[in-house]
Amino acid sequence: MEHRSATTFFVALILVNAVVLGLETYPAVMALFGPQLLMLDQVLLGIFVVELLLRLVAQGQRFVRDPWNLFDTAVIALALLPAAGAFSVLRSLRVLRVLRLISAFPSLRRVISGIVAALPGIGSIGAILIILYYVFAVMATKLFAVSAPQWFGSLEASLFSLFQIMTLEGWADMTRELAQTQALAIPFMVIFILVATFTVLNLFISVMLDAMQRVNADPGHATPDSQTAALDRLTDEVKRMKAQLDEIARPPKGT
């Protein structure tokens, strides 16, 4: 189950399943090949269930200790839930099976591990962003509610407008129109964009990079290939040391 050929085979099945799920979104394709695609989807789901069972038998307790095995199990379990009647909305969750590609590639697993490691720092930065966002929304409501009620007439409208400005979507036109009646519009918007968009975004990026570096430096996150290479180097070193010891222990010639 852990052989490279087996991994390649199941990755190919996941890609085929992704294509099948995509084809099911086209009414014309479903009208022609609907039953065949649904049958193929069920066959692939059955293969994935068998794969999990075989992996459980092969790994034993190690299966439960691996979080990626639990992730795969949760994805397959969601696909096995009934998708009829009130549960028809769960049918769309079948596409989550494509996420199993993440657990199949060590490089993708390291990225996810980096994101998880960065969550505490991201949470702190997010709290700072929410505080600043609320402060600017209250200020915008008090300053521009009369001049632009469609954008800043209430706290809720200001929060939505500032979120749009934070994404840099249409902020220039909004600011030019508001600046015709409000002299503080341009400096307010520029300061908000510099603080909320550029500064906080750079903080997010720095936290993510730091987390990725820590994950890559952790020996516990080493890929199988790197572990094999390290083992080969250690084996070669042991062989050289043994050859040197044999040379020292060999009696001199002529004795």
Side-chain angles (χ1 to χ4, degrees), residues 20-38:
V20 170
L21 293 173
L23 290 175
E24 291 180 7
T25 62
Y26 292 92
V29 176
M30 290 298 293
L32 294 175
F33 307 104
Q36 293 84 351
L37 290 175
L38 294 176

Side-chain angles (χ1 to χ4, degrees), residues 160-175 189-199 201:
F160 181 78
S161 298
L162 289 180
F163 181 80
Q164 177 183 346
I165 294 170
M166 188 171 59
T167 62
L168 303 180
E169 176 65 29
W171 75 273
D173 296 334
M174 185 187 301
T175 304
M189 297 300 180
V190 170
I191 293 174
F192 175 73
I193 290 175
L194 289 176
V195 173
T197 303
F198 296 112
T199 304
L201 178 61

Side-chain angles (χ1 to χ4, degrees), residues 241-253 255:
M241 293 176 62
K242 184 177 181 300
Q244 293 175 358
L245 290 175
D246 292 340
E247 183 67 24
I248 295 174
R250 184 179 298 117
K253 293 182 180 180
T255 59

Side-chain angles (χ1 to χ4, degrees), residues 198-218:
F198 296 112
T199 304
V200 177
L201 178 61
N202 286 329
L203 286 175
F204 273 109
I205 294 174
S206 64
V207 169
M208 288 296 301
L209 289 177
D210 179 68
M212 292 297 298
Q213 290 175 354
R214 286 189 280 110
V215 167
N216 291 328
D218 186 1

Side-chain angles (χ1 to χ4, degrees), residues 1-68:
M1 294 303 299
E2 297 178 356
H3 195 272
R4 179 170 297 180
S5 59
T7 302
T8 304
F9 172 73
F10 288 113
V11 167
L13 289 183
I14 294 173
L15 293 175
V16 171
N17 198 189
V19 173
V20 170
L21 293 173
L23 290 175
E24 291 180 7
T25 62
Y26 292 92
V29 176
M30 290 298 293
L32 294 175
F33 307 104
Q36 293 84 351
L37 290 175
L38 294 176
M39 178 64 68
L40 180 58
D41 180 73
Q42 293 301 313
V43 170
L44 291 171
L45 178 59
I47 294 175
F48 293 146
V49 172
V50 173
E51 176 206 359
L52 285 178
L53 294 176
L54 291 176
R55 201 188 304 174
L56 176 61
V57 173
Q59 298 180 358
Q61 294 182 353
R62 190 158 52 93
F63 180 90
V64 181
R65 292 194 295 265
D66 189 346
W68 291 107

Side-chain angles (χ1 to χ4, degrees), residues 132-143 155 158-159 162 188:
L132 293 174
Y133 187 49
Y134 180 78
V135 169
F136 275 97
V138 172
M139 293 174 59
T141 304
K142 292 183 177 296
L143 291 174
L155 181 61
S158 297
L159 288 170
L162 289 180
F188 179 87

Side-chain angles (χ1 to χ4, degrees), residues 87-241:
F87 298 97
S88 59
V89 67
L90 297 176
R91 189 173 184 83
S92 61
L93 297 180
R94 294 181 305 155
V95 73
L96 294 178
R97 271 178 273 169
V98 182
L99 295 177
R100 295 192 61 209
L101 287 173
I102 297 175
S103 62
F105 295 97
S107 58
L108 298 182
R109 292 202 299 265
R110 287 199 301 273
V111 172
I112 298 300
S113 298
I115 295 175
V116 173
L119 287 179
I122 291 177
S124 300
I125 297 173
I128 296 175
L129 177 61
I130 290 174
I131 294 173
L132 293 174
Y133 187 49
Y134 180 78
V135 169
F136 275 97
V138 172
M139 293 174 59
T141 304
K142 292 183 177 296
L143 291 174
F144 311 128
V146 177
S147 301
Q150 71 276 22
W151 294 323
F152 304 103
S154 64
L155 181 61
E156 294 80 5
S158 297
L159 288 170
F160 181 78
S161 298
L162 289 180
F163 181 80
Q164 177 183 346
I165 294 170
M166 188 171 59
T167 62
L168 303 180
E169 176 65 29
W171 75 273
D173 296 334
M174 185 187 301
T175 304
R176 289 192 183 97
E177 183 175 342
L178 190 59
Q180 295 177 2
T181 56
Q182 290 288 341
L184 294 176
I186 293 178
F188 179 87
M189 297 300 180
V190 170
I191 293 174
F192 175 73
I193 290 175
L194 289 176
V195 173
T197 303
F198 296 112
T199 304
V200 177
L201 178 61
N202 286 329
L203 286 175
F204 273 109
I205 294 174
S206 64
V207 169
M208 288 296 301
L209 289 177
D210 179 68
M212 292 297 298
Q213 290 175 354
R214 286 189 280 110
V215 167
N216 291 328
D218 186 1
H221 290 89
T223 62
D225 293 338
S226 63
Q227 292 175 350
T228 302
L231 182 60
D232 292 340
R233 290 194 298 269
L234 182 60
T235 302
D236 294 339
E237 185 67 24
V238 171
K239 288 180 179 179
R240 285 195 295 269
M241 293 176 62

